[in-house]
Amino acid sequence: MGFPFHGAALRAALLAAGCAAFFQVSAQTPYPNHPITLVVPFAAGGPTDVVARTLGASMSKTLGQPIVVENRTGAGGTLAASYVSKAAPDGYTFLIHHNGMATAPALYRKLAYNPLTDFDYVGQVADVPMTLLARKDLPPNDLPAFIAYAKQQGDKLNLANAGLGAVSQLCGMLLQEALGTQFTTVPYSGTAPALTALLGGQVDVLCDQTTQTIPHIQAGKVRFYGVTTLERIKALPDSPTLNEQGIKGFEMKVWHGMYAPKGTPAPVIAKFNEALRAALKDPPFANRMADLGAEIVPAEKQTPQGLQTWLKSEIDKWGPLIRKAGVYAD
């Protein structure tokens, strides 16, 4: 007797399943459907913040939603990275970070995240060259004279940096290693106060990003010894590199990558990467980076795999140097 009802029951079940599927699909909306947060580990107005805000404005054109920059400062960028590593992997929280992502494992004995396993990767953004500066009245007029002067003065020279793990500190470490001498390092709470101290004559030397220093170089407010790339940069075409002036092979760039919490859906990563790659070609972003001396990374570095490979290579590069210098934070 149950057979007459079997077909009806089956049809009802299929209808119910179809309706459920219909309403489920209808309830879904394309990603993204509300603003996205881009976490910056450093203060507003700083070099990374400038890159993030300019990039976010361009990426929003593709995504159709605003990217809201949130500055979470402290502990050399590790607080922000830790926050994002624990955020919901829903595609609405991302991190932009520089070289500090690679140096943190060696600098910090206790790190709340693993850069290689606790994130998904979006891609690299831009490389920012650095510049070697001195207070305007420091005696050496050019780099060869500065090299001789630095070796003679040693720890009588004050070398400013923006704090533990800052790229200015890393650049200073490379410089001292290359010159075979040790300066007296003076850490500040960020790039802006370190540069202000140099401009005011309170410190002697600073290695800092072109995004911060080009206006002061062009205004003649500092002694400028050269850029830290192997080749001259478009923003300062007449300025020689440290490499061509005698510190052979010296290269230091600030690189920026974008990360998501581990487990972010692959289609979301793909969509965000699509927006990143479009932004890197967007004239407002590209022109702003050029004005600041920054260089858009090549296409192979703009991918998740490109960033992952680069991060691993940078961890391998900086770990031994930091351990040799004995620089640690608890």
Side-chain angles (χ1 to χ4, degrees):
M1 293 182 60
F3 286 103
F5 300 96
H6 184 268
L10 179 60
R11 286 193 296 273
L14 291 174
L15 179 60
C19 289
F22 172 80
F23 286 116
Q24 181 179 6
V25 171
S26 299
Q28 292 176 348
T29 54
Y31 169 83
N33 60 27
H34 61 266
I36 297 166
T37 297
L38 179 59
V39 178
V40 175
F42 308 105
T48 301
D49 182 75
V50 170
V51 172
R53 292 179 187 275
T54 312
L55 180 64
S58 288
M59 289 182 66
S60 294
K61 298 176 184 178
T62 299
L63 294 168
Q65 290 288 341
I67 293 181
V68 180
V69 170
E70 180 179 332
N71 300 93
R72 283 184 171 262
T73 63
T78 61
L79 293 183
S82 177
Y83 170 79
V84 173
S85 73
K86 296 173 176 59
D90 57 5
Y92 290 95
T93 304
F94 290 85
L95 171 72
I96 184 169
H97 205 339
H98 62 27
N99 311 48
M101 200 67 166
T103 58
L107 283 170
Y108 292 86
R109 290 188 176 95
K110 298 177 182 178
L111 197 61
Y113 58 90
N114 185 325
L116 293 174
T117 60
D118 292 344
F119 297 89
D120 285 326
Y121 307 91
V122 178
Q124 283 185 251
V125 181
D127 293 333
V128 182
M130 302 194 76
T131 52
L132 179 60
L133 311 176
R135 55 181 168 86
K136 189 176 181 180
D137 57 351
L138 197 72
N141 291 316
D142 55 28
L143 184 66
F146 171 77
I147 293 173
Y149 183 79
K151 291 182 177 180
Q152 179 187 38
Q153 295 293 315
D155 61 8
K156 294 180 183 178
L157 276 178
N158 293 322
L159 173 67
N161 66 50
L164 183 68
V167 288
S168 54
Q169 184 206 24
L170 302 176
C171 185
M173 289 172 58
L174 277 184
L175 180 65
Q176 293 171 88
E177 177 84 4
L179 298 182
T181 189
Q182 292 294 314
F183 304 139
T184 296
T185 57
V186 183
Y188 287 84
S189 59
T191 300
L195 183 57
T196 298
L198 185 79
L199 293 170
Q202 285 94 43
V203 292
D204 300 315
V205 184
L206 173 66
C207 191
D208 199 6
Q209 303 178 50
T210 54
T211 47
Q212 295 284 97
T213 62
I214 283 180
H216 302 293
I217 292 169
Q218 293 174 336
K221 294 181 180 180
V222 293
R223 185 82 75 188
F224 173 44
Y225 293 131
V227 295
T228 64
T229 48
L230 294 179
E231 298 179 356
R232 298 189 183 194
I233 62 174
K234 294 179 181 178
L236 297 167
D238 298 324
S239 301
T241 67
L242 304 191
N243 174 61
E244 68 182 279
Q245 294 183 89
I247 309 182
K248 294 299 182 182
F250 192 98
E251 183 178 26
M252 179 72 197
K253 292 182 179 180
V254 184
W255 56 270
H256 298 83
M258 299 189 78
Y259 308 83
K262 190 70 175 180
T264 300
V268 170
I269 296 292
K271 179 71 174 179
F272 210 69
N273 177 261
E274 177 189 353
L276 168 63
R277 288 184 286 109
L280 298 185
K281 298 177 183 178
D282 190 31
F285 178 76
N287 293 338
R288 177 61 171 153
M289 292 301 101
D291 290 343
L292 296 172
E295 302 170 343
I296 305 300
V297 298
E300 62 270 18
K301 287 189 173 184
Q302 298 172 14
T303 65
Q305 183 60 51
L307 174 56
Q308 184 177 21
T309 300
W310 180 255
L311 177 63
K312 178 63 167 60
S313 70
E314 285 287 281
I315 289 174
D316 293 342
K317 169 187 174 180
W318 285 104
L321 181 61
I322 292 170
R323 286 188 285 270
K324 178 182 177 181
V327 180
Y328 298 103
D330 293 326

